[in-house]
């Protein structure tokens, strides 16, 4: 039995397509559990599409923006499920085909594998930099990763994205689930906890979703500030295995790719974007040294810090 869980906020037309694609999967889904933030936006969406009927297996729970948390909201979704395997997705991840779930859960047949995550492909029209970034983080070959791979892979050992990932419920319960308070990286923190307990993380390259973004430099700054905050709050993971080297590797390999493919004019803009990302990240790593005013200016997740008294 498999349940799929999706945090939802301001659904749009593509959400119909996502639900349709989930209904066409070769693996039958027991429940699709939607954790919707702010009921008014959900009601507006339903109101403007009166002919659309939700699939019978879709269950919707509403929370406020104040209540939303990347960790806690997902924990609450899991509590509503009795499935042996559950799949976490985001509302902007589109299954490439009807075999997504079938291929995603296949690695979980191995006893030691706790979680399996999908390959993310760029959207149609994505630029060269975004395309290469997807390839860098989500290569063509599948792999099962354990703690023993840290000398080779570094922080990539625990890289795991719940944009689309399948979890074994018994191991989830044993490890303790997602952290309760998370500004970012709840998926990697969980994967690291699994690794430390002797379990494995699987990358299923044949399980594919369409998912990419085009962020402005300012958006990259804010996003990476929150990434830095998440790392500062989990030194048990990120202090032992620093991630800066992966960022440097990405910049170098992206520049080489752009030059090779005839996009040399994009190298300088890419380096400027990388600078925004790095500065945001370093400020986030050191957010405790900043004034509350600056923290609230730099974060893209203000509710997280308001809960902390900022």
């Amino acid at each position: 039995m498999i349940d799929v869980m999706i945090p939802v906020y301001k659904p749009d037309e593509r959400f119909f397509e996502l639900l349709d694609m989930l209904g066409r999967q070769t693996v039958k889904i027991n429940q699709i559990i939607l954790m919707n933030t702010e009921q008014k936006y959900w009601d507006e969406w339903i109101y403007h599409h009166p002919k659309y009927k939700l699939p019978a297996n879709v269950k919707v729970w509403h929370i406020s923006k104040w209540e939303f948390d990347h960790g806690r909201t997902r924990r609450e979704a899991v509590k509503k499920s009795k499935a042996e395997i559950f799949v976490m997705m985001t509302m902007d991840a589109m299954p490439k085909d009807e075999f997504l779930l079938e291929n995603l859960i296949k690695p979980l047949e191995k006893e030691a594998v706790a979680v399996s995550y999908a390959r993310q492909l760029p959207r149609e029209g994505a630029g060269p930099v975004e395309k290469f970034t997807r390839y860098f983080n989500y290569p063509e070959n599948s792999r099962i990763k354990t703690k023993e791979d840290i000398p080779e892979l570094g922080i990539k050992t625990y890289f795991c994205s719940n944009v689309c990932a399948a979890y074994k419920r018994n191991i989830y319960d044993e490890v303790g689930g997602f952290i309760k308070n998370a500004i970012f990286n709840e998926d990697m923190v969980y994967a690291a906890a699994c690794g430390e307990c002797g379990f494995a993380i699987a990358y299923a390259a044949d399980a594919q979703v369409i998912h990419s973004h085009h962020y402005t430099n300012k958006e990259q700054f804010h996003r990476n500030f929150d990434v830095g905050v998440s790392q500062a709050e989990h030194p048990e993971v990120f202090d032992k295995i620093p991630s800066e080297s992966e960022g440097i590797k990405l910049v170098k390999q992206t520049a080489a790719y752009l030059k090779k493919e005839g996009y040399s004019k994009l190298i300088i803009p890419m380096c400027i974007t990388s600078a925004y990302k790095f500065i945001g990240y370093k400020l986030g790593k050191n957010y405790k040294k900043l004034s509350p005013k600056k923290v609230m200016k730099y974060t893209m997740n203000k509710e997280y810090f308001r809960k902390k008294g900022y």
Side-chain angles (χ1 to χ4, degrees):
M1 186 168 67
I2 296 174
D3 286 347
V4 175
M5 302 163 191
I6 311 173
V8 178
Y9 180 60
K10 295 184 177 179
D12 57 17
E13 298 295 327
R14 283 178 58 83
F15 196 58
F16 292 127
E17 186 180 349
L18 171 57
L19 293 177
D20 178 62
M21 285 297 294
L22 289 176
R24 291 163 54 189
Q25 293 296 301
T26 55
V27 173
K28 185 178 179 181
I29 300 170
N30 176 52
Q31 285 188 99
I32 299 176
I33 298 171
L34 305 181
M35 301 297 290
N36 176 69
T37 299
E38 296 296 346
Q39 184 171 354
K40 61 182 179 181
Y41 298 124
W42 178 267
D43 290 344
E44 286 175 10
W45 183 67
I46 294 294
Y47 176 79
H48 285 103
H49 302 91
K51 294 183 179 180
Y52 180 75
K53 295 190 182 299
L54 287 173
N57 64 342
V58 171
K59 311 296 181 186
V60 186
W61 278 268
H62 300 289
I63 60 174
S64 68
K65 196 170 183 179
W66 174 261
E67 292 173 298
F68 176 81
D69 180 279
H70 286 286
R72 182 180 292 108
T73 300
R74 287 175 169 86
R75 287 176 67 93
E76 289 301 314
V78 176
K79 288 180 182 178
K80 301 179 187 305
S81 169
K82 297 186 183 301
E84 297 173 352
I85 295 173
F86 63 88
V87 175
M88 285 287 168
M89 293 186 70
T90 56
M91 61 180 284
D92 58 350
M94 189 65 61
K96 184 177 182 292
D97 54 38
E98 65 270 31
F99 303 105
L100 168 66
L101 295 183
E102 179 181 332
N103 291 329
L104 184 65
I105 66 174
K106 198 173 297 180
L108 298 182
E109 294 174 2
K110 296 182 183 297
E111 186 176 352
V113 175
V115 54
S116 170
Y117 67 100
R119 185 181 187 190
Q120 296 182 28
L121 303 175
R123 295 184 188 280
E124 184 177 348
V129 174
E130 181 60 27
K131 285 182 179 178
F132 183 79
T133 300
R134 290 293 122 182
Y135 178 79
F136 180 85
N137 288 324
Y138 304 95
E140 295 178 347
N141 297 321
S142 299
R143 178 160 187 170
I144 293 179
K145 303 175 292 185
T146 68
K147 187 178 180 180
E148 282 66 40
D149 292 309
I150 290 175
E152 176 194 352
L153 299 177
I155 196 63
K156 277 287 185 73
T157 304
Y158 296 143
F159 180 76
C160 178
S161 175
N162 61 19
V163 161
C164 184
Y167 299 79
K168 276 183 187 168
R169 179 60 182 269
N170 62 328
I171 295 179
Y172 174 90
D173 290 338
E174 180 179 340
V175 173
F178 299 115
I179 48 177
K180 294 180 180 179
N181 301 304
I183 190 171
F184 220 83
N185 273 334
E186 73 288 341
D187 40 15
M188 281 188 69
V189 173
Y190 175 78
C194 290
E196 292 300 314
C197 289
F199 297 111
I201 300 98
Y203 167 56
D206 52 353
Q208 301 175 356
V209 292
I210 311 298
H211 180 262
S212 62
H213 296 284
H214 178 68
Y215 293 118
T216 65
N217 287 340
K218 185 176 180 181
E219 289 170 335
Q220 292 284 17
F221 173 88
H222 292 305
R223 178 180 175 83
N224 281 272
F225 178 84
D226 289 353
V227 170
V229 171
S230 72
Q231 293 198 10
E233 296 198 333
H234 293 282
E236 75 281 4
V237 178
F238 298 103
D239 279 5
K240 291 191 294 184
I241 321 173
S243 61
E244 286 85 349
S245 60
E246 275 299 309
I248 295 170
K249 187 189 300 183
L250 174 59
V251 172
K252 289 181 177 179
Q253 291 189 15
T254 303
Y257 167 80
L258 293 173
K259 184 177 181 180
K260 178 183 176 183
E261 297 297 322
Y263 298 109
S264 294
K265 64 181 181 179
L266 297 179
I267 293 176
I268 291 177
M270 182 274 294
C271 289
I272 292 172
T273 297
S274 297
Y276 271 86
K277 292 164 70 174
F278 182 72
I279 293 169
Y281 165 77
K282 292 299 285 186
L283 286 170
K285 284 276 282 189
N286 294 281
Y287 83 95
K288 293 178 181 177
K289 298 178 182 178
L290 301 176
S291 67
K293 184 177 180 180
K294 286 186 175 179
V295 169
M296 294 300 284
K297 180 180 179 181
Y298 297 156
T299 183
M300 66 176 187
N301 198 334
K302 291 178 172 53
E303 296 296 338
Y304 177 82
F305 283 101
R306 289 191 181 111
K307 292 172 188 173
K308 293 169 70 74
Y310 279 71

